[in-house]
Amino acid sequence: MQPRKGAIPRVFDPMVFFREMYKSITPLYTYSATNPSEHARWERSLRRKFVELLGGFPATKEPLSPEVSEIVEFPDYVRERVIFNTRPFMSVPAYLLRPKKPTSGKIPAIVCLPGHGPGKNTIVGFDDKGEPRQEIGGYQADFAIQAVRHGYVALAIEQLAFGERNSPDPRCRGCNEPSMNALMLGLTMIGLRVWDARRALDYLLARPEVDPGRIGVMGISGGGTTTLYTAAVDRRFKAAVVSGYLCTFRDSIMAMDHCCDNFIPRIIRYAEMYDLAALVAPRALFAESGTKDSIFPIEAARLAFRKAKRAWEVLGAPDKIGHEVFDGEHQFWGKGAFEFLKRNL
């Protein structure tokens, strides 16, 4: 039966409403700088607003009070289990991997951030059951081990609500309940994770083998989220590798089912994801995207890269941003990434 002429349209799909709202909004900080001075003003304003939307950061730093509880030697690197505090009532377990090969001076370091799954163990050589893996594996490809074998100190931290930092209460396990609690308190899960990554850098600065001027951050999926936003707000990070995340909010986070730790209230009123990526400029940023990634569509990833790259062009540093598209799914690739880091970190 055809609707009668002049009938009021009825729409029951909520996603139609959200998509139409998205189309009606021009984010306040859409990138439009044409010279370094305009970029600097834009950068200061958006970074300030972005930190606010993330829930803000503590005015004072909780003492790290670091502790090394285990040291295990491998043929080419040493793995230390470390714990440090980032806020009151919040401790971060991590594995620090350092090369065995002696060097003549301090060496660069990378904060490594795992994606959804069992947490940090999956990037330092353990399988999903916590058993040692004999070779590189999993969708995250033990990228912290890859990093140390490329000559970096790799600090693989446990992201909040992953692995050891999952609540023992079965009603609160996973990301959903902690993320909702954060929102109720005016915080965001991703903001809490970004603060942890920034404090991980503070820990690395205290390590005698680390070159303080050559610290980067790297992550896959949910770790890529934290990587991008950490580099956006903390200029001490000299390079960032974002695997399986750089895309548009419109075509990924707002288009399909994603864990609620991805969501930042009101962000679209101020910026799209590629605008936030531009906050990293002119420091080094490398993204990698799989052509078959079902949750971060490849054409939207390409669009986001092109949009973000404009900031590096304005600042005269187009060689400091890169994007590798590979034939694969939602996974860590690492081929071009480590070559990029070799040149830029």
Side-chain angles (χ1 to χ4, degrees):
M1 181 177 180
Q2 294 294 320
R4 69 183 184 278
K5 188 175 181 179
I8 297 172
R10 307 297 185 184
V11 180
F12 300 113
D13 182 352
M15 298 309 295
V16 173
F17 171 78
F18 295 131
R19 284 193 289 268
E20 291 302 314
M21 275 209 70
Y22 177 96
K23 289 191 289 187
S24 73
I25 295 172
T26 299
L28 182 62
Y29 295 108
T30 295
Y31 192 79
S32 61
T34 59
N35 59 61
S37 295
E38 290 178 357
H39 176 97
R41 289 193 294 272
W42 167 87
E43 179 184 342
R44 285 193 298 270
S45 297
L46 177 53
R47 182 175 288 115
R48 188 183 310 116
K49 174 56 69 172
F50 186 42
V51 169
E52 175 190 323
L53 297 177
L54 288 173
F57 299 127
T60 58
K61 290 183 176 182
E62 179 78 2
L64 290 171
S65 304
E67 173 188 356
V68 176
S69 60
E70 175 188 77
I71 299 177
V72 179
E73 293 201 14
F74 294 86
D76 51 348
Y77 67 92
V78 176
R79 187 184 73 209
E80 300 180 15
R81 175 176 163 80
V82 301
I83 303 173
F84 52 86
N85 292 340
T86 58
R87 295 173 182 259
F89 308 106
M90 192 170 286
S91 302
V92 177
Y95 284 115
L96 183 134
L97 314 181
R98 51 185 172 85
K100 262 188 176 180
K101 186 178 179 180
T103 61
S104 57
K106 294 178 181 291
I107 59 176
I110 301 174
V111 175
C112 297
L113 300 163
H116 283 81
K120 68 185 183 313
N121 284 6
T122 58
I123 64 173
V124 297
F126 295 95
D127 63 22
D128 290 350
K129 297 179 181 179
E131 297 297 324
R133 231 193 315 259
Q134 297 304 311
E135 56 186 31
I136 297 294
Y139 89 93
Q140 307 189 61
D142 289 310
F143 69 84
I145 293 179
Q146 293 195 52
V148 74
R149 286 177 174 164
H150 277 87
Y152 301 99
V153 171
L155 180 62
I157 72 171
E158 194 78 280
Q159 294 216 82
L160 187 59
F162 288 174
E164 291 185 79
R165 300 180 73 191
N166 213 332
S167 174
D169 186 337
R171 300 170 299 173
C172 303
R173 293 189 67 77
C175 294
N176 187 67
E177 192 61 25
S179 296
M180 295 298 102
N181 271 265
L183 293 176
M184 294 290 280
L185 294 167
L187 303 169
T188 63
M189 176 60 76
I190 185 57
L192 294 168
R193 289 175 177 171
V194 166
W195 181 250
D196 286 346
R198 297 181 67 191
R199 297 311 316 278
L201 183 148
D202 291 334
Y203 174 74
L204 286 172
L205 289 174
R207 295 285 306 206
E209 65 270 75
V210 171
D211 183 338
R214 300 170 66 197
I215 298 177
V217 58
M218 170 185 285
I220 166 72
S221 192
T225 314
T226 309
T227 292
L228 183 63
Y229 298 159
T230 299
V233 303
D234 196 327
R235 296 181 61 84
R236 296 177 300 169
F237 287 96
K238 301 306 180 185
V241 172
V242 178
S243 177
Y245 180 71
L246 182 65
C247 198
T248 64
F249 291 129
R250 179 193 65 196
D251 298 294
S252 179
I253 306 303
M254 296 180 68
M256 62 194 74
D257 186 28
H258 274 275
C259 180
C260 56
D261 58 10
N262 283 281
F263 294 87
I264 304 170
R266 299 185 297 131
I267 187 62
I268 293 301
R269 296 197 172 272
Y270 299 97
E272 243 291 1
M273 192 189 299
Y274 42 75
D275 300 310
L276 301 175
L279 287 172
V280 181
R283 291 166 294 138
L285 175 66
F286 189 87
E288 55 177 31
S289 307
T291 57
K292 301 180 181 70
D293 192 327
S294 61
I295 55 176
F296 296 100
I298 189 58
E299 290 309 318
R302 286 188 169 109
L303 171 65
F305 175 75
R306 290 196 302 270
K307 292 275 193 178
K309 188 178 180 182
R310 177 61 184 154
W312 278 263
E313 293 170 342
V314 166
L315 297 177
D319 59 327
K320 291 288 186 179
I321 182 171
H323 187 207
E324 181 173 19
V325 174
F326 61 91
D327 183 20
E329 301 180 353
H330 187 63
Q331 64 192 90
F332 183 84
W333 189 244
K335 306 295 190 295
F338 285 110
E339 285 299 315
F340 181 86
L341 287 175
K342 186 178 180 180
R343 298 191 302 270
N344 292 287
L345 186 62

